[in-house]
Amino acid sequence: SSSCFATRKEQEALQHEILEIVERQRTQLKWYSAQDVSRLAGIEVSVVKQVLGSLMARSADKVREDIGMNLMVESKNGDQLCLPCYSRTQQGTWLFSDLTIEALREYRDRFPGVFLKLRERPPPAGKRFVKDFEMRDAFPDSPDLSYSSQKLIKYCNSCPWKTMRLAQGGYMAMTPKTVLQVNAAVDRFHDAAVKRPASLVRVEGERRLLLNGSAGAAWPEESMGSGTFTVGQRAVYSRSFGAVPRGRHCTVIGFFGAKGEAPQLEVLLDEDSFSATDRKGRTPPMRGLMVPAAELAPLLPVASRGTVAEAAKDERRRAEASEDILG
């Protein structure tokens, strides 16, 4: 891997660039209440609340399908489940991003009959509506109701808001656009590394040296850090005989933490791997992977204090301090 030929300063520069990309997402991605989404999308708030949740519909063949966007879901044990980058909760209040508004408008434009009929739907009885939505009501003039219904179902099942994994409120994740920007930065980093003339590197001691062939060796404890990660942090895969070869470099693009469960990290690999996927369109093909946090070690000692902004500031201070020492 070309990462092996990069200096510590170059690795820190890449880390800093990635954290800046993630910080731009944090400042640019706006969040809105359901009422604000209704106003910005130009759709009645009663319709918005139905579509953003679970919306059971009955097809012409009497088969039940969920044509809702599932951005706000409550599990059987009462946990609120969100969709990364589309919805989140804050002090019990549901909030939705710019991506939600964009997706909602596209859904309405593709299937206006659904939204028109939802305006006439009776109010909910408790937490549930009186009966399923009838797809025939959304396509009153269709010569082939079965075809129209299947077209709607196929559209819903192919959208990111239906294919992505739900998460509890305590999650952080990059948007697909941000992931592509990070991937481009990592590719530039490797391209520059392989074009650089080879140089001799002297390594003294073996305490922190782990060879690819030492599959059974323990990962150096001092390299494992605190076990906590932040979105945008560079990491290295540390498990022997795991999903990808040990020592493979990656970037954390999502952090999913559920109550009582070990945190799961969504990562963007630096190189293609047959074990990886596109994470339902969130990453380039063969680059995306979901792994337990325990299987990663931080590539650099980036502080993880809950926000990418603070981590970026730590990186800037560290870089300035290094310049002062070298200068």
Side-chain angles (χ1 to χ4, degrees):
S1 171
S2 55
S3 298
C4 300
F5 303 103
T7 65
R8 171 63 175 268
K9 188 174 182 180
E10 290 168 336
Q11 292 280 10
E12 289 179 342
L14 174 61
Q15 176 69 92
H16 175 72
E17 181 180 0
I18 291 174
L19 291 176
E20 289 292 339
I21 292 172
V22 180
E23 175 63 8
R24 283 200 299 270
Q25 171 188 300
R26 191 190 69 80
T27 57
Q28 293 174 2
L29 191 64
K30 306 302 180 184
W31 295 88
Y32 309 92
S33 65
Q35 288 74 17
D36 289 333
V37 170
S38 169
R39 175 176 53 83
L40 293 170
I43 304 172
E44 290 84 349
V45 67
S46 62
V47 176
V48 166
K49 289 182 177 180
Q50 293 180 66
V51 176
L52 294 184
S54 177
L55 178 59
M56 299 307 300
R58 197 173 295 273
S59 68
D61 302 324
K62 303 301 180 183
V63 177
R64 299 181 78 221
E65 298 282 353
D66 190 350
I67 61 172
M69 296 177 68
N70 299 125
L71 302 191
M72 48 180 187
V73 178
E74 188 171 302
S75 65
K76 292 181 180 179
N77 58 6
D79 293 331
Q80 292 178 319
L81 302 179
C82 313
L83 193 68
C85 306
Y86 283 83
S87 62
R88 65 185 177 93
T89 56
Q90 182 174 312
Q91 298 179 345
T93 300
W94 286 98
L95 298 176
F96 308 93
S97 72
D98 299 314
L99 298 179
T100 297
I101 298 174
E102 181 181 340
L104 197 59
R105 287 171 177 163
E106 180 185 294
Y107 192 176
R108 177 198 57 191
D109 294 342
R110 292 286 296 272
F111 299 96
V114 174
F115 288 73
L116 289 173
K117 198 60 185 178
L118 286 176
R119 295 169 61 181
E120 306 171 10
R121 204 164 185 229
K127 290 189 176 181
R128 297 184 180 275
F129 283 89
V130 177
K131 63 177 183 178
D132 290 344
F133 179 81
E134 295 288 345
M135 289 194 188
R136 64 170 179 267
D137 294 335
F139 308 103
D141 302 322
S142 174
D144 190 339
L145 180 57
S146 179
Y147 173 77
S148 298
S149 299
Q150 288 300 319
K151 187 177 179 181
L152 169 60
I153 295 169
K154 184 177 180 180
Y155 169 78
C156 291
N157 291 338
S158 66
C159 288
W161 38 262
K162 186 68 78 172
T163 59
M164 289 172 56
R165 172 186 172 181
L166 294 172
Q168 288 192 339
Y171 76 87
M172 299 178 288
M174 295 185 194
T175 65
K177 180 180 178 181
T178 301
V179 171
L180 289 179
Q181 292 174 350
V182 170
N183 187 69
V186 172
D187 285 347
R188 288 194 300 270
F189 168 79
H190 288 295
D191 289 343
V194 296
K195 292 177 182 178
R196 187 171 52 248
S199 58
L200 179 65
V201 177
R202 182 182 298 276
V203 178
E204 296 182 359
E206 300 179 357
R207 188 172 61 89
R208 302 185 64 183
L209 182 64
L210 190 67
L211 302 177
N212 286 336
S214 54
W219 198 266
E221 291 186 6
E222 61 268 32
S223 299
M224 294 302 293
S226 62
T228 58
F229 292 85
T230 186
V231 171
Q233 187 168 352
R234 296 282 290 158
V236 58
Y237 191 74
S238 61
R239 180 184 173 185
S240 300
F241 308 110
V244 294
R246 194 182 202 189
R248 186 65 60 90
H249 289 190
C250 60
T251 304
V252 177
I253 63 173
F255 181 96
F256 300 87
K259 295 178 181 178
E261 297 180 5
Q264 294 283 319
L265 299 180
E266 187 180 29
V267 300
L268 174 69
L269 298 173
D270 284 21
E271 304 172 50
D272 293 352
S273 171
F274 287 115
S275 301
T277 67
D278 67 349
R279 298 293 303 154
K280 302 294 185 180
R282 282 182 47 76
T283 71
M286 301 174 67
R287 288 287 187 96
L289 202 65
M290 182 75 80
V291 298
E295 295 183 4
L296 293 183
L299 188 58
L300 294 169
V302 177
S304 176
R305 298 177 184 170
T307 68
V308 175
E310 290 174 340
K313 289 178 182 178
D314 288 340
E315 281 298 301
R316 284 193 288 268
R317 285 195 291 267
R318 189 178 293 109
E320 291 170 358
S322 298
E323 291 176 359
D324 290 342
I325 294 173
L326 296 175

